[in-house]
Amino acid sequence: MVANKLWWEFWPAESARQVLDSSLTRMSFDYVDLIYATTPPEGLGAAEIVDSVVGLISSGKARAWGVVNWPPGLLAEATRIASANGTPPPAAAQVAYNVVWRSSLEGAEESAALEESGAGVVASAVLVYGALTGKYAHAEATGRIAAKLDEPLIKQALDAAPGLVELAARFSTTPAALAIAFALAGPRVASVLFGATRPEQVLANAEALDVDPAAVAELQSSRG
């Protein structure tokens, strides 16, 4: 399955179709399976987005559409517009969801919007850019957030990491696998996204599928 994103960086000078056509040309593809609409810029409303992405589906350039980090009100509005028009609602919603950032799925408004849309969730930032793995407990650790360890959202994940490390050890798994397993068990989650710089990291992260459900349940009952 191939997915692509509409970033709207050239809107309104370039339409969604022009942007996707350029991308398809670069990839030498005729269509993508899923086209995501990222958070729209000011002035670009839900009705225009729905019209644009449905046009891509009708033309055969995409098979389904989804959203990335949309606020729940906008997702609900787009769902209702699509329903009123008799056109496909968003099939996927990519949102940041992990042990410490849970409101994107579990918040009342967010949960209601996702339920109304019927979209499957693709969870991103499941490891908070490596903060939940415990790697940054070492002063010499390097990585994409090494210069951001004092930022509140990152620090929240760093504070949760020792507990995750301890729980993973008790269940003979790794913090990364446990964190991914938690995200996979989230409401409406169909898949997760994670970064990997080495092939062995992909294999290690796939161990999330074998994590003891009891460990996940214990993590779910906590608040990070």
Side-chain angles (χ1 to χ4, degrees):
M1 176 175 287
V2 177
N4 208 336
K5 291 178 179 176
L6 299 169
W7 292 101
W8 311 115
E9 68 264 50
F10 302 119
W11 179 88
E14 289 190 13
S15 67
R17 178 172 298 208
Q18 288 173 310
V19 171
L20 182 55
D21 279 345
S22 295
S23 185
L24 291 173
T25 297
R26 290 191 297 271
M27 295 189 294
S28 298
F29 287 173
D30 295 322
Y31 66 90
V32 292
D33 297 287
L34 177 64
I35 186 67
Y36 282 109
T38 60
T39 307
E42 185 176 353
L44 179 57
E48 186 173 349
I49 293 175
V50 171
D51 184 64
S52 295
V53 294
V54 168
L56 296 177
I57 294 171
S58 298
S59 69
K61 303 288 186 179
R63 290 185 169 181
W65 73 284
V67 302
V68 179
N69 297 330
W70 276 26
L74 185 62
L75 173 58
E77 180 185 1
T79 298
R80 291 165 192 160
I81 290 170
S83 177
N85 293 343
T87 55
Q94 180 184 318
V95 296
Y97 177 68
N98 53 60
V99 172
V100 291
W101 305 345
R102 304 189 186 191
S103 63
S104 58
L105 266 66
E106 300 179 15
E109 189 178 0
E110 291 84 353
S111 177
L114 288 167
E115 184 68 26
E116 182 176 358
S117 72
V121 170
V122 178
S124 63
V126 295
L127 300 177
V128 191
Y129 318 113
L132 291 176
T133 66
K135 65 177 282 187
Y136 289 99
H138 308 287
E140 68 277 8
T142 60
R144 63 185 296 189
I145 61 169
K148 304 178 181 180
L149 302 184
D150 291 330
E151 293 185 4
L153 289 176
I154 300 299
K155 192 173 186 304
Q156 185 183 12
L158 294 172
D159 290 344
L164 196 66
V165 170
E166 185 276 331
L167 182 61
R170 281 201 282 120
F171 283 90
S172 301
T173 187
T174 66
L178 180 54
I180 294 171
F182 170 87
L184 281 169
R188 304 197 66 85
V189 172
S191 185
V192 302
L193 300 176
F194 59 77
T197 56
R198 301 186 308 276
E200 54 267 28
Q201 286 181 320
V202 177
L203 296 175
N205 289 347
E207 293 176 6
L209 299 174
D210 299 320
V211 169
D212 190 327
V216 176
E218 189 168 332
L219 200 53
Q220 288 172 324
S221 65
S222 73
R223 294 307 301 175

